[in-house]
């Protein structure tokens, strides 16, 4: 065999081996890429994203798009070629697998966690929107979870409204733990509650829950943490976790499947405000954005901001409402034609939308790399 032919054959075999290795060798990385955007003022899968009944609503044009990020699954392992392509591509980001799925979290566990965060963000979005419109929202302390095998199992249930502990009215979830731990293990504690079924019926009717029941539960010693003592004595528990729930004066449903996480809170709030007020918040403009939101209307940071900017611009957005804490990284890589608008609260967002609607965009709060 001529030397030239032998050299070409050897090179070809080496190339084939490298290609096979690139395909077969897996690397501990995952990929993030722009996901779809959804107009909170519009429809998804043939039905309105925001459905409000029991209150006058108004037609709204324009766009208030929430944005998403696609990620590879927890069980998927990229090969070398995929990782290199992702690193070189402008519209994707390759990150260590543990960044998306820490502590060996499975895809099912991650999906469940995202679903819970999404549900909580919807509640906070409703509360923040109605508070911005000065529409009263009732808040109550509820049983969030009951520990299996605890003294509360069978006596208290998730959704029960906790009105008082030992006759002391509770206003915050932390009040419950504080009052319970005033006891020693083995002592009785009395909860004044509204059963979950009665509370649900009251919420559906848009009224405060009525009818109290008294439930007495014997406390037990908390599982050991370190030396198992607190301030020199054993800590008493009853095996529940308290949380908050809200009673709205009318019904607000957010219909959006296959989306998780808390980052759509801001855009849901703005969509609700737009539907409950005459005129258009955007003046028909295409606005997208992201950000968590709490009951007080404070906007929090999110992950994957770069991917969300790309997804928004690809969808046609001209303005992007950006959480203050994400501004620096967003400004470092902003797609052409997209204007970043910095927001810290829902009030900031509504004021900026008024400016966008009026065409007074020169004074919009902006993001910078500094």
């Amino acid at each position: 065999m001529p030397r030239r032919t032998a050299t070409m054959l050897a090179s070809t075999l080496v190339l084939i081996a490298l290609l096979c290795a690139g395909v077969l060798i897996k690397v501990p990385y995952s990929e993030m890429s722009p996901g779809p955007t959804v107009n909170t003022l519009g429809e998804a899968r043939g039905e309105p994203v925001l459905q409000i009944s029991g209150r006058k609503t108004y037609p709204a044009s324009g766009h208030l798009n929430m944005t998403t990020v696609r990620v590879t699954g927890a069980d998927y392992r990229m090969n070398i070629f995929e990782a290199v392509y992702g690193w070189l591509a402008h519209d994707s980001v390759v990150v260590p697998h543990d960044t998306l799925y820490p502590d060996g979290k499975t895809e099912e566990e991650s999906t469940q966690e995202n679903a819970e965060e999404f549900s909580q963000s919807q509640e906070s979005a409703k509360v923040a929107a109605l508070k911005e419109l000065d529409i009263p929202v009732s808040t109550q302390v509820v049983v969030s979870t009951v520990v299996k095998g605890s003294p509360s199992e069978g006596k208290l249930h998730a959704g029960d409204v906790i009105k008082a502990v030992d006759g002391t009215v509770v206003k915050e979830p932390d009040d419950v733990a504080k009052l319970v731990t005033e006891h020693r293990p083995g002592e009785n504690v009395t909860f004044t509650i509204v059963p979950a079924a009665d509370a649900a019926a009251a919420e559906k009717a848009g009224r405060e829950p009525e009818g109290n029941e008294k439930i007495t539960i014997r406390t037990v010693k908390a599982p050991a943490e370190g030396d198992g003592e607190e301030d020199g004595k054993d800590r008493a528990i009853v095996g529940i976790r308290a949380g908050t729930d809200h009673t709205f004066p009318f019904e607000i449903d957010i219909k959006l499947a296959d989306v998780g996480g808390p980052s759509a809170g801001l855009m849901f709030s703005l969509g609700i405000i737009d539907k409950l007020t005459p005129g258009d918040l955007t003046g028909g403009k295409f606005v997208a954005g992201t950000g968590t939101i709490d009951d007080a209307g404070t906007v929090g940071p999110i992950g994957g901001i770069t991917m969300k900017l790309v997804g928004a611009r690809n969808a046609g957005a001209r303005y992007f409402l950006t959480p203050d804490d994400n501004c620096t990284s967003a400004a470092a890589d902003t797609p052409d034609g997209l204007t970043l608008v910095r927001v810290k609260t829902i009030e900031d967002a509504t004021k900026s939308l008024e400016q966008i609607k009026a065409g007074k965009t020169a004074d919009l709060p902006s993001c910078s790399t500094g």
Side-chain angles (χ1 to χ4, degrees):
M1 182 183 298
R3 174 179 292 180
R4 182 176 179 182
T5 302
T7 300
M8 291 181 63
L9 178 59
S11 298
T12 300
L13 292 174
V14 170
L15 179 60
I16 292 173
L18 290 173
L19 290 172
C20 290
V23 172
L24 296 176
I25 296 176
K26 305 298 181 181
V27 292
Y29 291 96
S30 296
E31 185 179 51
M32 301 170 62
S33 59
T37 75
V38 178
N39 185 10
T40 61
L41 302 175
E43 295 186 347
R45 297 186 177 181
E47 62 178 349
V49 174
L50 298 175
Q51 300 182 13
I52 301 173
S53 57
R55 181 87 173 194
K56 182 177 176 59
T57 60
Y58 302 87
S61 64
H63 286 255
L64 286 171
N65 281 41
M66 55 160 286
T67 50
T68 65
V69 175
R70 285 196 180 95
V71 298
T72 50
D75 297 330
Y76 184 77
R77 292 295 184 271
M78 303 178 71
N79 61 43
I80 293 176
F81 286 144
E82 290 172 320
V84 171
Y85 179 82
W87 276 317
L88 296 176
H90 177 69
D91 60 352
S92 65
V93 174
V94 174
V95 298
H97 185 269
D98 290 344
T99 300
L100 299 179
Y101 304 100
D103 303 322
K105 186 182 298 180
T106 67
E107 188 166 353
E108 182 178 356
E109 291 170 336
S110 180
T111 299
Q112 176 62 30
E113 182 178 305
N114 285 335
E116 292 172 357
E117 290 179 339
F118 186 63
S119 178
Q120 180 57 52
S121 77
Q122 292 181 24
E123 288 298 293
S124 293
K126 297 174 189 178
V127 175
L130 297 193
K131 286 185 176 180
E132 182 68 14
L133 295 173
D134 293 325
I135 298 174
V137 177
S138 298
T139 301
Q140 52 268 332
V141 178
V142 299
V143 176
S144 179
T145 56
V146 179
V147 177
K148 187 176 178 60
S150 72
S152 293
E153 186 178 14
K155 294 187 175 184
L156 296 177
H157 305 85
D160 288 346
V161 177
I162 304 173
K163 307 291 284 187
V165 176
D166 292 329
T168 301
V169 174
V170 297
K171 297 182 179 180
E172 301 290 341
D174 288 346
D175 295 342
V176 177
K178 180 180 178 181
L179 291 166
V180 170
T181 54
E182 289 180 357
H183 291 268
R184 294 184 62 83
E187 295 180 348
N188 288 337
V189 57
T190 301
F191 288 81
T192 303
I193 69 163
V194 177
D198 294 343
E203 181 175 359
K204 187 173 183 180
R207 57 176 173 79
E208 288 284 346
E210 300 174 353
N212 297 332
E213 293 185 11
K214 292 187 183 296
I215 307 292
T216 299
I217 301 173
R218 187 176 294 276
T219 62
V220 296
K221 179 181 176 181
E225 296 179 5
D227 59 8
E229 297 183 349
E230 181 180 321
D231 296 330
K233 64 179 181 179
D234 296 330
R235 183 165 61 91
I237 62 170
V238 294
I240 65 167
R241 178 177 298 171
T244 55
D245 195 15
H246 308 281
T247 300
F248 300 103
F250 48 89
E251 191 171 349
I252 305 173
D253 284 334
I254 298 175
K255 302 288 188 180
L256 195 60
D258 302 325
V259 176
S263 64
L266 170 63
M267 303 312 291
F268 284 144
S269 282
L270 294 173
I272 293 168
I273 290 172
D274 205 350
K275 283 183 172 289
L276 290 174
T277 52
D280 297 314
L281 281 182
T282 66
K285 303 294 195 306
F286 197 138
V287 179
T290 189
T292 65
I293 200 159
D294 62 18
D295 291 359
T298 303
V299 177
I302 51 83
I305 185 66
T306 303
M307 298 299 96
K308 292 183 176 182
L309 295 176
V310 174
R313 189 66 189 101
N314 288 345
R318 298 297 302 274
Y319 302 92
F320 194 92
L321 303 179
T322 312
D324 181 63
D325 289 340
N326 289 119
C327 256
T328 300
S329 56
D333 194 12
T334 307
D336 291 339
L338 190 65
T339 299
L340 303 184
V341 181
R342 175 170 47 83
V343 294
K344 295 182 179 180
T345 66
I346 191 170
E347 184 179 7
D348 290 344
T350 56
K351 287 181 178 179
S352 291
L353 289 174
E354 289 174 3
Q355 291 178 259
I356 292 171
K357 178 180 179 178
K360 300 177 181 179
T361 57
D363 296 327
L364 285 170
S366 61
C367 295
S368 65
T369 56

